[in-house]
Amino acid sequence: MFKKTLMAMAMGGTLAAGAQAGEIEVMHWWTSGGEARAISVLKEMVEDEGHTWIDFAVAGGGGENAYTVLRSRAVSGNPPAAAQIKGLEIQEWGDLGFLANLDDVADANNWDAQLPTVVADFMKHDGEYVATPVNVHRVNWMWANPAVFESAGVEIPTTMDELWEAADALKAAGVTPIAHGGQAWQDATTFESIVLAVGGADFFEDVFVEHDQDALQSDTMIESLEQFKRVSNYIDQGAPGRDWNVATGMVIRGEAAMQFMGDWAKGEFTAAGLEPGSDYICAPFPGTEDAFTFNIDSLAMFKQPNASSTEAQMAMAGLVLSDEFQQTFNLNKGSIPVRTDMDMSAFDSCAVEAMDTFKSTAANGGLVPSMAHGMSTTSSVQGAIYDTVTEFFNSRSMTAEQAATQMARAIRAAQ
Amino acid sequence: MSVTSKKGLDYWLPKLVLSPTVAIAIIFIYGFIIWTSVISLTDSTILPRYDFVGFEQYVKLFQNPRWLSSLWNLVVFGTLFIGVCMVVGLVLAILLDQQIRAEGALRTVYLYPMALSFIVTGTVWKWLLNPTVGIERFIHNLGWESFQFDWIVNPDMAIYTVVIAGVWQSSGFVMAIFLAGLRGIDTSIIKAAQLDGASLFSVYSRIIIPSMRPVFFSAFIMLAHLAIKSFDLIVALTGGGPGNATDVPAIFMYQFSFQRGRLGIGAASAVIMLMTILAILIPYLYSELRKPKDA
């Protein structure tokens, strides 16, 4: 009797899987409400294919905890099948020889045609696909409360000059113009948008991708730093150490007029039941409407010891770029799909605008990797930039020239 | 033969029972100290890698302005934290030692902060010190509008808020150590001094405090290692900010090793932290432990 059941179960399993059913362990830190819902879609899809999904979620926003666990697992020769790794970290793991080749899946699904070249390059190590992109966040957004702007009698700014005028008017009206959280990465997020506004996309790449020493100490850089420092006049006293979502809350409640943050902030507005366009405004950071600072989440695939796990891994890699997953995941996460050929009708106006800019900048230039979110450089150089940016922003005596020199030196030391 | 039979079970059992502990200590404390030192001489990035580069990581470390400022912060914090804790602890202990009523209850009150973790202390003080929600706002609401207490958001003063929170947490514990020390002093000496007409002040300053040297020693060691490894308090209180104003070596070490993929430089900073502790401990241990032999 028992034997029969077992056989039936085994047969059922085989039939459902079609091919070989394997286990796939996925390490990620998509643990907050919307994110957890988003990733559970992938889990269901993988299980529908007959594979077993082992969830290996390590909480901790920026993923530091997860990276620590991943490192120890990799050192002991037992890495998970897939891990949420992004940007140049993918290259670092590729250099260490841990990542699996996904070219077969990529060819079968025509990734080269579906993904913008800039995105695809991030997923490749030595010309081979080793990771699959999950979503695209635009970082250079400004989130504004239109009611606050209206009561102060100012328009939503579209250039840096207008930004300071608006900020002065808002301050005079008694509201905090800029909701800011004084944490290194938030300082850096604001700073990189200002560099983009002041210097443009080419300068941004010179500085944050090429780390050109002349550009780093140029007048444009000093000008960017000075503009960045002006932000500190328009933030409130409670800013140091504040989390980004608390700052978003200030905009939602009308205590502050605007926040400079990537499009994950949209989740907070949505959760508060607000509608884009009327209750809150998503606008490009002033002076950067023709540019797109991207932050791409991705799943890197680690080499597996047995064939069935590899099979499951390849199946999942294919599923990540499917229409269904891209749509559901990104609707939950607030980001946009990585594939430019998707139907955007289910998405809100902010996401549609982001997608339009994503496509146009991918074709015409202006699509740049985010420094603050680890896309443009290694974590070590990124950390060196963070240190200088946050020190300068909080210092009372450091000049913009000193900051530029110190940043150039710190980057050289970290390379 | 009789010697070997004496060295039977009685002789070997304690050694046998202790040996796992000793082995664990050797591997997990001294072994890892050696391993960290070895890593600090390599160019390891996200994973340990054994390409030796000599003292390059140490050179990089001391060229890093953030490391230098974190060392300076440690000096400021460590000195004030140890000093203020000792003074407050000693004063509290002496006051409690005056045969007062409800001593037990008061002792518990002062000792209670020690029952909290530094994370809790840090979070509570973060709220208290935050000018938009804490003490400053409270005083403003009472009507004193010009009152200002914004140390925690002021990069020049933020390190002192860490001292405040640290002292609040640890001085009760120091008090308990001192109180035990005070109680351990032979009362006949004190009575003899009083008979000779010594004032209460000189009894304390000439007899009691000098005879508590070993107690000072223990308290100092406890506080010094708390200061040098301080991490959780600062992470909860200021997160190392504003900017890098309250950065300390332990935070630097954690960030470089585990967040920025620079294991080599992280290991080098850990070794320097160890050296700092040893530099304080060894001369102190040497001078304190050789005394009984001289006497």
Side-chain angles (χ1 to χ4, degrees):
Chain A
M1 183 64 190
F2 178 67
K3 223 173 171 181
K4 254 187 193 166
T5 325
L6 209 68
M7 249 172 75
M9 271 168 68
M11 277 169 70
T14 323
L15 284 174
Q20 219 172 353
E23 270 184 3
I24 179 161
E25 186 173 20
V26 185
M27 192 210 74
H28 61 91
W29 59 91
W30 286 305
T31 46
S32 80
E35 293 175 336
R37 263 200 308 285
I39 193 66
S40 69
V41 178
L42 186 61
K43 179 183 176 185
E44 281 162 26
M45 289 170 74
V46 168
E47 285 174 346
D48 285 346
E49 299 253 316
H51 301 296
T52 317
W53 169 289
I54 302 174
D55 200 55
F56 181 20
V58 184
E64 292 103 25
N65 302 341
Y67 275 149
T68 309
V69 177
L70 178 62
R71 263 197 284 272
S72 54
R73 290 273 305 260
V75 171
S76 63
N78 176 32
Q84 186 189 350
I85 303 178
K86 70 182 196 184
L88 293 185
E89 297 267 342
I90 297 174
Q91 306 302 321
E92 290 183 46
W93 285 101
D95 289 341
L96 292 166
F98 278 108
L99 300 183
N101 183 340
L102 305 177
D103 277 351
D104 291 344
V105 191
D107 289 344
N109 293 297
N110 206 8
W111 287 5
D112 276 329
Q114 286 176 342
L115 301 173
T117 326
V118 189
V119 178
D121 286 347
F122 270 99
M123 303 302 138
K124 290 177 180 171
H125 178 256
D126 281 345
E128 297 170 353
Y129 277 102
V130 292
T132 154
V134 177
N135 63 344
V136 181
H137 282 294
R138 185 185 192 182
V139 182
N140 59 325
W141 277 119
M142 174 178 70
W143 305 91
N145 185 326
V148 174
F149 273 88
E150 212 166 286
S151 65
V154 280
E155 297 286 314
I156 308 281
T158 56
T159 66
M160 290 296 286
D161 290 337
E162 285 176 23
L163 173 66
W164 304 129
E165 282 167 27
D168 281 330
L170 287 159
K171 199 175 179 180
V175 287
T176 304
I178 298 168
H180 183 70
Q183 295 172 340
W185 71 269
Q186 296 188 57
D187 294 343
T189 300
T190 304
F191 176 64
E192 73 171 12
S193 290
I194 290 176
V195 169
L196 192 59
V198 172
D202 289 340
F203 179 75
F204 186 98
E205 295 219 1
D206 285 347
V207 172
F208 292 136
V209 183
E210 307 296 335
H211 308 310
D212 180 74
Q213 287 288 321
D214 293 332
L216 278 165
Q217 296 184 64
S218 64
D219 292 343
T220 317
M221 190 62 180
I222 292 167
E223 164 76 12
S224 308
L225 284 160
E226 279 165 354
Q227 297 276 348
F228 171 57
K229 185 77 182 186
R230 290 181 75 174
V231 171
S232 64
N233 300 328
Y234 301 107
I235 62 178
D236 68 317
Q237 240 194 342
R242 179 188 283 143
D243 287 325
W244 68 269
N245 52 338
V246 179
T248 313
M250 291 169 65
V251 178
I252 292 174
R253 290 190 304 273
E255 291 163 20
M258 57 191 148
Q259 183 187 18
F260 310 133
M261 188 47 63
D263 49 20
W264 47 92
K266 194 167 67 184
E268 298 292 311
F269 289 100
T270 312
L274 303 183
E275 286 296 321
S278 51
D279 300 331
Y280 68 95
I281 304 280
C282 53
F285 184 85
T288 68
E289 64 281 356
D290 295 325
F292 188 110
T293 323
F294 66 84
N295 174 19
I296 300 173
D297 283 321
S298 45
L299 286 168
M301 304 295 168
F302 283 75
K303 282 179 188 154
Q304 289 299 299
N306 54 55
S308 64
S309 289
T310 309
E311 180 119 3
Q313 197 177 34
M314 296 302 147
M316 190 184 85
L319 288 171
V320 169
L321 280 172
S322 65
D323 279 9
E324 188 193 346
F325 176 70
Q326 284 289 320
Q327 171 146 345
T328 332
F329 184 88
N330 287 301
L331 280 174
N332 277 308
K333 185 83 160 61
S335 43
I336 59 169
V338 281
R339 280 174 41 197
T340 47
D341 56 351
M342 293 263 307
D343 172 25
M344 292 294 288
S345 54
F347 288 84
D348 63 30
S349 58
C350 298
V352 171
E353 191 192 329
M355 191 50 141
D356 288 344
T357 319
F358 184 52
K359 284 183 198 165
S360 66
T361 52
N364 310 323
L367 184 61
V368 291
S370 165
M371 173 279 293
H373 299 277
M375 300 305 295
S376 78
T377 183
T378 55
S379 51
S380 133
V381 174
Q382 181 198 18
I385 300 176
Y386 271 21
D387 287 349
T388 318
V389 166
T390 192
E391 189 183 341
F392 171 64
F393 189 67
N394 288 289
S395 165
R396 296 186 174 185
S397 55
M398 198 178 197
T399 66
E401 286 82 5
Q402 286 170 337
T405 315
Q406 183 173 323
M407 192 186 296
R409 199 183 300 141
I411 288 175
R412 208 163 46 223
Q415 267 171 326
Chain B
M1 282 309 280
S2 61
V3 179
T4 31
S5 67
K6 264 186 194 164
K7 286 195 175 184
L9 196 61
D10 285 355
Y11 179 81
W12 289 111
L13 190 63
K15 293 186 168 55
L16 199 69
V17 172
L18 278 179
S19 58
T21 325
V22 172
I24 287 169
I26 288 175
I27 296 169
F28 289 102
I29 299 177
Y30 300 99
F32 284 169
I33 288 177
I34 293 167
W35 192 49
T36 305
S37 315
V38 170
I39 295 284
S40 75
L41 300 174
T42 68
D43 63 350
S44 302
T45 53
I46 54 177
L47 292 177
R49 191 167 58 186
Y50 299 97
D51 295 337
F52 290 93
V53 293
F55 288 93
E56 200 185 301
Q57 303 286 13
Y58 291 89
V59 174
K60 279 188 185 165
L61 184 66
F62 280 93
Q63 282 172 347
N64 189 320
R66 191 175 149 193
W67 169 252
L68 297 176
S69 78
S70 75
L71 276 186
W72 176 244
N73 285 336
L74 179 62
V75 171
V76 174
F77 169 69
T79 317
L80 285 173
F81 172 70
I82 297 172
V84 178
C85 269
M86 292 272 218
V87 172
V88 172
L90 184 62
V91 170
L92 285 177
I94 290 175
L95 292 179
L96 273 186
D97 197 32
Q98 308 305 316
Q99 266 106 47
I100 53 164
R101 230 183 291 174
E103 187 204 311
L106 282 173
R107 210 170 45 205
T108 317
V109 168
Y110 291 127
L111 200 53
Y112 242 113
M114 196 66 195
L116 301 175
S117 76
F118 270 123
I119 291 288
V120 177
T121 307
T123 309
V124 170
W125 279 96
K126 178 170 86 178
W127 291 331
L128 281 176
L129 294 168
N130 185 322
T132 56
V133 293
I135 297 172
E136 182 176 311
R137 178 171 167 160
F138 176 71
I139 304 279
H140 283 189
N141 289 347
L142 290 183
W144 185 4
E145 291 286 345
S146 60
F147 177 81
Q148 219 186 358
F149 185 52
D150 61 352
W151 285 11
I152 200 165
V153 297
N154 179 341
D156 301 327
M157 303 301 282
I159 191 73
Y160 302 113
T161 64
V162 183
V163 176
I164 295 176
V167 167
W168 179 82
Q169 164 107 343
S170 303
S171 54
F173 175 63
V174 178
M175 173 209 75
I177 300 179
F178 280 136
L179 198 56
L182 287 172
R183 297 281 152 85
I185 292 168
D186 188 354
T187 45
S188 59
I189 307 176
I190 299 168
K191 288 204 178 103
Q194 279 167 338
L195 280 178
D196 287 345
S199 68
L200 188 66
F201 178 75
S202 52
V203 167
Y204 271 104
S205 63
R206 298 276 183 87
I207 300 171
I208 298 182
I209 293 177
S211 66
M212 291 210 312
R213 252 188 102 93
V215 182
F216 275 96
F217 176 59
S218 328
F220 178 80
I221 302 286
M222 297 267 197
L223 293 171
H225 97 270
L226 272 182
I228 291 172
K229 71 174 194 190
S230 59
F231 175 82
D232 38 6
L233 176 65
I234 295 171
V235 166
L237 186 67
T238 62
N244 298 325
T246 52
D247 201 19
V248 287
I251 294 181
F252 180 96
M253 188 280 290
Y254 175 76
Q255 283 200 344
F256 275 70
S257 310
F258 301 117
Q259 297 181 349
R260 298 193 181 171
R262 302 188 73 187
L263 217 47
I265 218 168
S269 65
V271 171
I272 297 290
M273 283 167 67
L274 178 70
M275 295 294 175
T276 318
I277 298 185
L278 291 183
I280 297 171
L281 276 191
I282 290 177
Y284 209 166
L285 275 174
Y286 186 74
S287 70
E288 287 297 325
L289 296 181
R290 56 179 279 210
K291 278 231 165 55
K293 278 183 196 159
D294 291 353

